[in-house]
Amino acid sequence: MNPDYDLIVVGGGPAGSTAATAVAMRGHRVLLLEREVFPRYQIGESLLPATVQGLCRILGVADEVDRAGFTVKRGGTLRWGRDPKPWQFSFSMTPRLPEPTSTAFQVERARFDEILLRNAGRAGVDVREGSAVRRVVADGERVRGVEYTDPSGTTRTAHATFVIDASGNTSRIHGQVGDARVYSDFFRNLAVFGYFAGGQRLPEPNSGNIFCAAFDAGWLWYIPLRDDLTSVGAVIAPEHNPAVQRDARAAWQDMIHACPEVSELVAGVPVATEPPYDKVRVRKDYSYWKNSFWTPGMALVGDAACFVDPVLSSGVHLATYGALLAARSVNASLEGKVPENRGFAEFETRYRREYGVFYEFLVAFYDMERNDQSYFWQAKKVTKVDAGEAAAFAELAGGLVSGDAAVDPSQLGARWGAASAELDNAVDRLATTDDRVNPLLASRVVGETFRTGNDLTDQALYGDPVVHNGLSVTEDGLSWTEA
């Protein structure tokens, strides 16, 4: 069979646009099918430097993103841990990320995502919006394509050598790869979020920082998108679901009022009335992964593959990094440089590791909050991690987090507890340190978490190859090659 395309990408968000662009830049035939018509609303506005300074440069869209006028994010400010006063960290407090390569953006996702999608079209991707994928076309050997409905309602079939599912947490086709999703009990939370038409800003030079504040019922994010627009969301236990179902807006406002550090920032500020920011939205049970991220002919990336609690703003990074890994595997296979099995094994290994280090960091980060009187925070202790979840995480991460041959589930509690204590100590040192290197980034768990992002930025700026299992990355960052 002569397929219509080399690659079909399902979904036009950051993950889908990344995968499609990275393969089209190598001259391959790419079809991208997006259910909606852009611009469209999406949550997840806070980015990490690796996306802005690494990925966007590799895709050739960094200058356009810079010109978009998004709020500059230099780090984070948090009311979290033993200290009742907020503390902050800067991405630039490490020699590997000097200014200006240490900044990220707070973005309106409708605008940011459209920039990436239109860039994909300029790179040669056949972008078709208003085209919902109905099912995967497969035989006993591999996935061969997809069936979709075009804007006129006509059902069509397209064939390709590879399919990448980047259609998000509502994916209709992720079940083609691996088993059902594995949901985290530890991070089994509820998010209720909305927007204000302004709000106070932190003192310069940190006015663009994300602010995260722990309180009795959970924690709140505060993201300055524009002078007249602020995203505020509460991450709370699922026990609050009845109240949220009765009146999501009232529950959202109650959570904000319960957190003085955030409520004072929006005191007297009206809620946003401009669409699509005039709604209060809810998302629940949103931390999960799949036991497998690929099968012959098809890979999962972005929220179709995995997602973890948003306190570290890791969503877009994990999505676009996984998409870039998948694109490298597609390119290497199409060009005969690396066999499909080996290339996608590399994709899965690196993707699992990246998810695993963020998951491990977040478990330790939650554990360091000292609100011992709260039901929410009592449940967020490493001693409360279910044995089944620890075993599932060990299977996901293998030896990739620790560098050992395997991760022993029985040892994870002690490991995460030690990481939490190390984080706690690093936060104490933040206010008084004269070190050039941020104490947080010098800690093992944080250093591991940001290592890949630093490598991605180095790749974009300097073309530095990262060797793993005998494979390295080509100078353009778009494919695998033998080391």
Side-chain angles (χ1 to χ4, degrees), residues 217-234:
W219 64 272
L220 285 165
W221 75 68
Y222 186 91
I223 302 175
L225 295 174
R226 305 189 309 245
D227 288 344
D228 60 348
L229 186 65
T230 304
S231 171
V232 182

Side-chain angles (χ1 to χ4, degrees), residues 223-401:
I223 302 175
L225 295 174
R226 305 189 309 245
D227 288 344
D228 60 348
L229 186 65
T230 304
S231 171
V232 182
V235 176
I236 52 182
E239 285 72 17
H240 295 280
N241 193 45
V244 172
Q245 286 185 326
R246 282 194 303 270
D247 190 335
R249 185 174 293 274
W252 174 62
Q253 291 176 329
D254 286 346
M255 294 301 165
I256 294 171
H257 292 153
C259 182
E261 292 90 350
V262 172
S263 62
E264 67 183 20
L265 296 176
V266 293
V269 180
V271 297
T273 57
E274 64 169 295
Y277 303 115
D278 55 337
K279 297 179 181 179
V280 171
R281 295 174 169 87
V282 179
R283 189 173 175 186
K284 61 181 180 179
D285 291 342
Y286 52 81
S287 293
Y288 56 84
W289 64 84
K290 298 274 289 188
N291 285 324
S292 178
F293 292 158
W294 79 282
T295 193
M298 181 175 172
L300 305 177
V301 300
D303 291 3
C306 56
F307 188 80
V308 71
D309 188 275
V311 68
L312 196 60
S313 305
S314 59
V316 174
H317 166 66
L318 284 171
T320 53
Y321 177 66
L324 181 62
L325 294 176
R328 289 170 178 171
S329 304
V330 170
N331 285 334
S333 178
L334 291 173
E335 295 160 13
K337 302 293 179 60
V338 176
E340 177 182 350
N341 285 353
R342 187 177 181 196
F344 277 94
E346 187 73 9
F347 150 78
E348 177 139 351
T349 295
R350 295 199 189 204
Y351 201 6
R352 281 172 174 265
R353 179 201 174 277
E354 193 69 354
Y355 183 88
V357 295
F358 274 89
Y359 187 96
E360 180 181 46
F361 172 89
L362 289 167
V363 169
F365 190 71
Y366 266 70
D367 186 68
M368 70 176 281
E369 168 58 34
R370 295 294 188 261
N371 192 341
D372 293 331
Q373 305 304 312
S374 163
Y375 172 81
F376 180 90
W377 292 108
Q378 283 284 347
K380 302 305 180 187
K381 298 299 175 185
V382 295
T383 55
K384 301 289 185 178
V385 175
D386 179 77
E389 181 165 342
F393 174 81
E395 181 179 350
L396 166 88
L400 304 174
V401 175

Side-chain angles (χ1 to χ4, degrees), residues 105 114 159 173 227 260 273 352 422:
F105 292 117
E114 187 170 27
H159 295 93
I173 61 174
D227 288 344
T273 57
R352 281 172 174 265
E422 188 180 19

